[in-house]
Amino acid sequence: MSKTNAGYFFEDYRVGQVIRHAVPRTVAEGERALYHMLYPARHALYSSDVFAADCGLESSPLDDLIAFHIVFGKTVPDVSLNAVANLGYAEGRWLAPVWPGDTLRSESEVIGLKQNSNGKSGVVYVRTTGLNQNDEPVLSYVRWVMVRKRDLDAPAPEMVVPELAKTVAAGDLTVPGGLDFTDYDFDLAGEPHRLGDYRVGEVIDHVDGVTIEEAEHMMATRLWQNTAKVHFDATHREDGKRLIYGGHVISMARALSFNGLANAQMIVALNGGAHANPCFAGDTVRAWSEVLDIAETDAPGVGAIRLRLVATKGAGEGLRGEDGKYLPHVLLDLDYWALMPV
Amino acid sequence: MSKTNAGYFFEDYRVGQVIRHAVPRTVAEGERALYHMLYPARHALYSSDVFAADCGLESSPLDDLIAFHIVFGKTVPDVSLNAVANLGYAEGRWLAPVWPGDTLRSESEVIGLKQNSNGKSGVVYVRTTGLNQNDEPVLSYVRWVMVRKRDLDAPAPEMVVPELAKTVAAGDLTVPGGLDFTDYDFDLAGEPHRLGDYRVGEVIDHVDGVTIEEAEHMMATRLWQNTAKVHFDATHREDGKRLIYGGHVISMARALSFNGLANAQMIVALNGGAHANPCFAGDTVRAWSEVLDIAETDAPGVGAIRLRLVATKGAGEGLRGEDGKYLPHVLLDLDYWALMPV
Amino acid sequence: MSKTNAGYFFEDYRVGQVIRHAVPRTVAEGERALYHMLYPARHALYSSDVFAADCGLESSPLDDLIAFHIVFGKTVPDVSLNAVANLGYAEGRWLAPVWPGDTLRSESEVIGLKQNSNGKSGVVYVRTTGLNQNDEPVLSYVRWVMVRKRDLDAPAPEMVVPELAKTVAAGDLTVPGGLDFTDYDFDLAGEPHRLGDYRVGEVIDHVDGVTIEEAEHMMATRLWQNTAKVHFDATHREDGKRLIYGGHVISMARALSFNGLANAQMIVALNGGAHANPCFAGDTVRAWSEVLDIAETDAPGVGAIRLRLVATKGAGEGLRGEDGKYLPHVLLDLDYWALMPV
């Protein structure tokens, strides 16, 4: 047993520690095709090299969530193996597009530690950076998770809780070099709505639903080399269910949001997010969005829209109950910035 | 709700109207690999660059049905969203191979309209063209569908019913430039039968069966960016079943037909087709073919064979009952031309 | 029916006969992506072009088991169609990496025949070679299967039983040109264990389990163009189950073995193997390995480790019962050589 990875426990982390995560990954056109097979993804910039070139890019980059899933997946053996809960995300910023042929790897720095009062676990804050083959960062985000202690007698570390921005400021968004929506083709993109057509507070029901199968969520999760056993092993939970990777729900909801947000092309920031309730095979996932903010950028014709993306299952309405807790039909509450033609 | 696409209703179509369908798509080697994963596809010209080069092509093109599914999928939001039935196909012609790296988009012209006597719906005829990044047509076909009216009081349009060819004439088939079957390697192709070995009226039982899973047909349909909810949302029909995209059955039957028609390499025309009965997960699909015609082409060593391809489920025999209707075990009745070494 | 392939029966084989198997296949980055989707594969050399280049290769080759499955799949219509049992493997050697863009085909030579005493079937021994587009062998192995006779009155052939090596000698292993583990990055590879850290007799439990779905094993098997109906047609067996291709279990177990054997990078020989019991959808596959031998190679920093890889389902312990037969929970017992940094 000594050769296998037992993962880090709470007392193994130190503030300032940098973990180089294993298994770099070259991504190419195969991953793009798979993304279109696993999700009803239709944003034109990620579907057509010609459309992307007409928007000033050299070709169509890989979906921003492919980058996220791959960078995230690499952290699982070092961050999530003994985690009991994924508590939150903040300060997520996409810093450069990922192109077919790029090789991604991940590094995480421990930026905070807080032992729980029960002495059995603690919260670990990490800032994870995805890097390409030129060591350029493509993505950076903070995540905090609750991790078990191996040795309950290990002393509590000094408490360090990082100050995290509630949202990424519009001025801190990175617009990919060359992006230009001046001659944007709304017909080919699928909808006529430009940034000016949306108003803060507007809610968009994305209408469509997708019933999820075991084979699909396992293949998606495996594709990102996320091997957390709770997603794959039906004998792991007492109820015999495989928990669906939260990122699968993110990608499904984002793809469904095409219907009403076809022009919210590029994801450039993740302000926060909660996996409100678990998702299982057989659930039918739907989504709605709320416009939270609208901003300008310096790139020609390019604006930014801040969106709340909520994924649900079943028939419930609303987001939170009177007690402030997420209602049981809510799967995901995500807050992100996307780029849209003005 | 106003941001989402409600689709066209019968009274929204005008004869002569041209619809540029959304979301162009770059296809590459990933889509080829997926096609081999989703279907038991073995035609050598679409499997091996070397075999294709030995047949005079620069490399192996993407399967002709990949082109069909992608071009078709783009029309769904504009043609099928409020359709109650897919009534027929005619005059389908493949005009140029699709190569890895090509970007496809679709346009449809409304060529006919006929309101039903009940005043609640009507038949819409469209001629759809798939175009590559050089605006060259790669595929053209006529489809007619029955579409609901939004406003039952909308006046009936002038009735226009196009005259459609019963079959594409052999002389109108487009043989890809350079195709040469003179040195065709029957060993590598998998069967020794050349065009001269088939006779009109011959029936070939393709023997093998494939039991279909939900995950597979959803992934296949999604891959072509066909997002019709009836294929994905188990809550959409009262019986909780997801209807399988008819094109999935076409590709499955065509792939099964390798066993007996391994040398019917390239599909060059779709003369007609009917989705006779719905297909659901759990059905075991089988196929048989009937030779309908045989013709010459101008290309060296290249002949054409016209085939009826019938997909079935379960154990029934025969095609139509005494009332002329398709028997309940018949899923598909397709009439197409393929190229085969003489 | 005469056009379809009825397969070879025992009396159709002759010692010395060479069969050129049908349907060459070009493999590319799509197949690599699919491999990562179908299996929890994480060996860095097959995941990252950069890691592979740092190990002296031009880029990341396709997984060795992709080569095996494709070469094997092509033999199915000619070797396995009327087989009642897959009896064994020997003398498997990987002779050259397979790169994206390569085109593979297979040839088999019949090297042994032995009719069974019941006169109804016999054992056929074939040596199968996989060749790339330059006719260079990439893989060679011996397999023997029990095949039915069509005509029970056909005379028994002269018995020829080849002498097969119990294991491939360490000196006969082919190390890919340029491979150099001198600057091997153990962090990125995922584990710190080098060849010297393993001892003969050591057993490694790979911990993780994967519950298998119908859609996944069918897609995997189809991807290798292995169309044996027992894997796809739920009506074929009386119990309505689809038998999972043994190679799917090999790939699953090998991928699971990353956890404890992350540095057993390249498979270079298959000494033997048995599919001990059938695997069906719903089974949860686990794996353990035993170190059988350790050897040097001439390549810088590169050693070889001989491993027994055992895949299991359910909860049983041990390999064989008192009667010497495999216990019912054992799916696979595979004996192979892999290359590992010294």
Side-chain angles (χ1 to χ4, degrees):
Chain A
M1 294 289 293
S2 66
K3 289 288 194 307
T4 55
N5 175 28
Y8 289 78
F9 290 84
F10 180 68
E11 66 267 31
D12 299 326
Y13 294 98
R14 299 284 174 270
V15 171
Q17 181 181 8
V18 173
I19 305 171
R20 290 176 77 219
H21 303 296
V23 194
R25 170 77 168 275
T26 303
V27 287
E29 277 135 5
E31 280 78 7
R32 173 187 293 164
L34 287 178
Y35 200 79
H36 282 104
M37 186 183 81
L38 292 164
Y39 305 106
R42 287 185 285 161
H43 287 92
L45 199 66
Y46 299 91
S47 178
S48 165
D49 283 344
V50 177
F51 191 94
D54 289 342
C55 293
L57 303 181
E58 59 180 87
S59 66
S60 179
L62 293 181
D63 197 284
D64 306 306
L65 292 175
I66 293 180
F68 176 78
H69 294 314
I70 287 191
V71 170
F72 182 99
K74 307 208 167 315
T75 70
V76 167
D78 299 319
V79 177
S80 314
L81 215 57
N82 300 304
V84 287
N86 192 26
L87 299 172
Y89 303 101
E91 299 185 3
R93 294 174 65 217
W94 278 256
L95 301 166
V98 175
W99 307 102
D102 279 1
T103 298
L104 301 183
R105 61 185 184 85
S106 301
E107 286 184 5
S108 294
E109 180 179 356
V110 180
I111 60 169
L113 289 171
K114 181 182 157 199
Q115 183 163 313
N116 288 328
S117 53
N118 64 13
K120 295 181 180 172
S121 58
V123 179
V124 180
Y125 296 80
V126 294
R127 185 180 302 275
T128 296
T129 305
L131 300 147
N132 66 17
Q133 67 279 7
N134 304 316
D135 286 331
E136 295 163 345
V138 298
L139 171 65
S140 169
Y141 65 91
V142 174
R143 178 162 76 115
W144 54 108
V145 293
M146 191 183 301
V147 179
R148 283 183 290 133
K149 294 176 74 170
R150 183 199 297 105
D151 171 13
L152 299 190
D153 295 330
E158 187 188 357
M159 186 173 89
V160 177
V161 176
E163 281 197 43
L164 299 170
K166 291 258 183 204
T167 73
V168 177
D172 288 341
L173 303 177
T174 300
V175 180
L179 192 71
D180 181 340
F181 284 159
T182 310
D183 294 323
Y184 190 89
D185 188 328
F186 290 85
D187 275 2
L188 286 185
E191 291 184 349
H193 323 302
R194 51 180 74 238
L195 191 64
D197 297 326
Y198 293 87
R199 61 175 205 283
V200 173
E202 179 174 358
V203 172
I204 301 153
D205 178 348
H206 301 303
V207 179
D208 301 311
V210 172
T211 308
I212 293 188
E213 297 294 309
E214 299 282 15
E216 290 173 316
H217 79 80
M218 290 202 296
M219 289 194 289
T221 308
R222 223 181 258 132
L223 182 58
W224 321 126
Q225 296 175 312
N226 176 341
T227 59
K229 58 171 67 83
V230 72
H231 307 315
F232 298 101
D233 181 347
T235 70
H236 188 65
R237 287 167 58 108
E238 287 199 356
D239 62 7
K241 288 183 173 180
R242 281 163 273 186
L243 183 68
I244 291 177
Y245 163 51
H248 190 59
V249 177
I250 294 177
S251 276
M252 190 60 78
R254 158 71 175 164
L256 289 171
S257 79
F258 176 91
N259 199 346
L261 286 166
N263 298 317
Q265 291 283 358
M266 304 192 91
I267 300 180
V268 284
L270 176 63
N271 299 306
H275 300 290
N277 283 289
C279 184
F280 300 105
D283 287 346
T284 298
V285 175
R286 291 186 163 72
W288 55 267
S289 294
E290 179 185 355
V291 180
L292 298 177
D293 201 358
I294 277 171
E296 297 181 340
T297 81
D298 292 336
V302 180
I305 186 166
R306 188 179 147 216
L307 294 158
R308 158 175 279 168
L309 172 62
V310 176
T312 65
K313 61 178 174 181
E317 297 273 328
L319 189 63
R320 293 176 188 272
E322 294 186 1
D323 56 1
K325 291 187 179 165
Y326 285 111
L327 292 165
H329 68 281
V330 177
L331 297 171
L332 173 75
D333 181 12
L334 200 78
D335 180 335
Y336 72 104
W337 281 104
L339 301 180
M340 183 181 268
V342 294
Chain B
M1 292 289 294
S2 65
K3 289 289 195 306
T4 54
N5 174 28
Y8 290 79
F9 291 85
F10 180 67
E11 65 268 30
D12 299 327
Y13 294 99
R14 298 284 173 269
V15 170
Q17 181 182 8
V18 173
I19 304 171
R20 289 177 77 220
H21 303 295
V23 194
R25 169 77 169 276
T26 303
V27 287
E29 277 135 5
E31 281 78 7
R32 173 187 293 166
L34 288 178
Y35 200 80
H36 282 103
M37 186 183 82
L38 292 164
Y39 304 106
R42 289 185 284 161
H43 287 91
L45 199 65
Y46 299 91
S47 178
S48 164
D49 283 344
V50 177
F51 190 94
D54 289 343
C55 293
L57 302 182
E58 59 181 88
S59 68
S60 179
L62 294 181
D63 197 285
D64 307 306
L65 292 175
I66 293 180
F68 176 77
H69 294 314
I70 288 190
V71 170
F72 181 98
K74 306 209 166 315
T75 71
V76 167
D78 299 319
V79 177
S80 314
L81 215 57
N82 300 303
V84 286
N86 191 25
L87 298 172
Y89 303 101
E91 299 187 1
R93 295 174 64 216
W94 278 257
L95 301 166
V98 175
W99 308 102
D102 279 0
T103 298
L104 300 183
R105 61 185 182 85
S106 301
E107 287 184 4
S108 294
E109 180 179 355
V110 180
I111 59 168
L113 290 172
K114 181 182 154 195
Q115 182 163 312
N116 287 328
S117 52
N118 65 14
K120 296 180 180 171
S121 58
V123 178
V124 180
Y125 296 80
V126 293
R127 185 180 302 275
T128 296
T129 305
L131 300 147
N132 67 17
Q133 68 279 7
N134 303 317
D135 286 330
E136 295 163 344
V138 299
L139 172 65
S140 169
Y141 65 92
V142 173
R143 179 163 75 114
W144 55 107
V145 292
M146 193 183 300
V147 180
R148 283 183 289 132
K149 293 177 75 170
R150 183 200 295 106
D151 172 11
L152 299 190
D153 295 329
E158 187 188 355
M159 184 174 92
V160 177
V161 176
E163 279 196 44
L164 299 170
K166 291 260 183 202
T167 74
V168 176
D172 288 340
L173 302 177
T174 300
V175 179
L179 192 71
D180 181 341
F181 283 160
T182 310
D183 294 323
Y184 191 89
D185 188 326
F186 289 86
D187 275 1
L188 287 185
E191 292 184 348
H193 323 302
R194 51 179 75 238
L195 191 65
D197 296 326
Y198 292 88
R199 62 175 202 284
V200 173
E202 181 173 357
V203 171
I204 301 152
D205 178 347
H206 302 302
V207 179
D208 301 311
V210 173
T211 307
I212 293 188
E213 297 293 310
E214 299 282 14
E216 290 173 316
H217 78 81
M218 290 202 296
M219 289 193 290
T221 308
R222 225 182 255 130
L223 182 58
W224 320 125
Q225 295 175 311
N226 175 341
T227 60
K229 58 172 68 85
V230 72
H231 306 316
F232 298 100
D233 181 347
T235 70
H236 188 65
R237 287 166 57 107
E238 287 199 357
D239 62 6
K241 290 184 172 179
R242 281 163 274 185
L243 183 68
I244 291 177
Y245 163 49
H248 190 58
V249 177
I250 294 177
S251 276
M252 191 59 80
R254 159 71 175 165
L256 288 171
S257 78
F258 176 90
N259 199 345
L261 286 166
N263 298 318
Q265 291 282 0
M266 304 192 93
I267 299 180
V268 284
L270 176 63
N271 299 307
H275 300 291
N277 284 288
C279 184
F280 299 105
D283 287 345
T284 298
V285 175
R286 291 185 164 72
W288 54 268
S289 295
E290 179 185 354
V291 180
L292 297 179
D293 201 357
I294 279 171
E296 297 181 345
T297 81
D298 292 336
V302 180
I305 187 166
R306 188 179 147 216
L307 294 159
R308 156 175 281 168
L309 173 61
V310 176
T312 65
K313 62 178 173 180
E317 296 274 327
L319 189 63
R320 293 177 188 270
E322 293 187 3
D323 57 1
K325 291 186 181 167
Y326 285 111
L327 292 165
H329 69 281
V330 176
L331 296 170
L332 173 75
D333 181 12
L334 200 78
D335 180 337
Y336 72 104
W337 281 105
L339 301 180
M340 183 181 268
V342 294
Chain C
M1 293 288 293
S2 65
K3 289 288 195 307
T4 54
N5 176 26
Y8 289 78
F9 290 84
F10 179 68
E11 66 266 32
D12 299 325
Y13 295 99
R14 299 283 172 272
V15 170
Q17 180 181 9
V18 174
I19 304 171
R20 290 175 78 220
H21 302 296
V23 194
R25 169 77 168 274
T26 303
V27 288
E29 278 137 5
E31 280 78 7
R32 174 187 292 163
L34 287 178
Y35 200 79
H36 282 102
M37 186 183 83
L38 291 164
Y39 304 106
R42 288 185 285 162
H43 287 91
L45 199 65
Y46 299 91
S47 178
S48 164
D49 283 343
V50 176
F51 190 94
D54 289 344
C55 293
L57 303 182
E58 58 182 89
S59 67
S60 180
L62 294 181
D63 197 283
D64 306 308
L65 291 176
I66 294 180
F68 176 78
H69 294 314
I70 287 190
V71 170
F72 181 98
K74 305 207 167 317
T75 71
V76 167
D78 299 320
V79 177
S80 314
L81 215 57
N82 300 303
V84 288
N86 192 27
L87 299 172
Y89 303 100
E91 299 186 1
R93 295 174 65 217
W94 278 257
L95 302 166
V98 174
W99 308 101
D102 279 1
T103 299
L104 301 183
R105 61 185 183 85
S106 300
E107 287 185 4
S108 294
E109 180 180 355
V110 180
I111 60 168
L113 288 171
K114 181 182 156 195
Q115 183 163 312
N116 288 328
S117 54
N118 65 15
K120 295 181 180 171
S121 57
V123 178
V124 180
Y125 297 79
V126 294
R127 185 180 301 276
T128 296
T129 305
L131 300 147
N132 67 17
Q133 67 278 8
N134 304 317
D135 286 331
E136 294 163 345
V138 298
L139 172 65
S140 169
Y141 65 92
V142 173
R143 177 162 76 115
W144 55 106
V145 293
M146 192 183 301
V147 179
R148 283 184 289 132
K149 293 177 74 171
R150 182 199 297 107
D151 172 11
L152 299 190
D153 296 329
E158 187 188 356
M159 185 173 91
V160 177
V161 176
E163 280 197 45
L164 298 170
K166 291 258 184 203
T167 74
V168 177
D172 288 340
L173 303 177
T174 300
V175 179
L179 192 71
D180 181 341
F181 283 160
T182 310
D183 294 323
Y184 191 89
D185 187 328
F186 289 86
D187 275 2
L188 286 185
E191 291 183 348
H193 324 301
R194 52 180 74 238
L195 191 64
D197 296 325
Y198 292 88
R199 63 176 203 284
V200 173
E202 180 174 359
V203 171
I204 301 152
D205 179 346
H206 301 302
V207 180
D208 301 310
V210 172
T211 308
I212 294 189
E213 297 293 309
E214 298 282 14
E216 290 173 317
H217 78 81
M218 289 201 297
M219 288 193 291
T221 308
R222 224 182 257 132
L223 182 58
W224 320 125
Q225 296 175 311
N226 176 342
T227 60
K229 57 171 69 82
V230 72
H231 306 315
F232 298 101
D233 181 348
T235 69
H236 188 66
R237 288 167 58 107
E238 286 198 358
D239 63 5
K241 289 184 175 180
R242 281 163 274 185
L243 183 68
I244 291 177
Y245 163 50
H248 190 59
V249 177
I250 294 176
S251 276
M252 190 61 78
R254 159 71 175 166
L256 289 171
S257 79
F258 177 91
N259 199 346
L261 286 165
N263 298 318
Q265 291 283 359
M266 304 192 91
I267 300 180
V268 284
L270 175 64
N271 299 306
H275 299 291
N277 283 290
C279 184
F280 299 105
D283 287 346
T284 298
V285 175
R286 290 185 163 72
W288 55 267
S289 294
E290 179 185 355
V291 180
L292 298 179
D293 202 357
I294 278 171
E296 297 181 343
T297 80
D298 292 336
V302 179
I305 186 166
R306 188 180 146 215
L307 295 158
R308 157 176 280 170
L309 173 61
V310 176
T312 65
K313 62 177 174 181
E317 296 274 327
L319 190 63
R320 293 175 188 272
E322 294 187 0
D323 57 2
K325 292 186 179 166
Y326 285 111
L327 291 166
H329 69 281
V330 177
L331 297 171
L332 172 76
D333 181 12
L334 200 79
D335 180 336
Y336 72 103
W337 281 104
L339 301 180
M340 183 181 268
V342 294

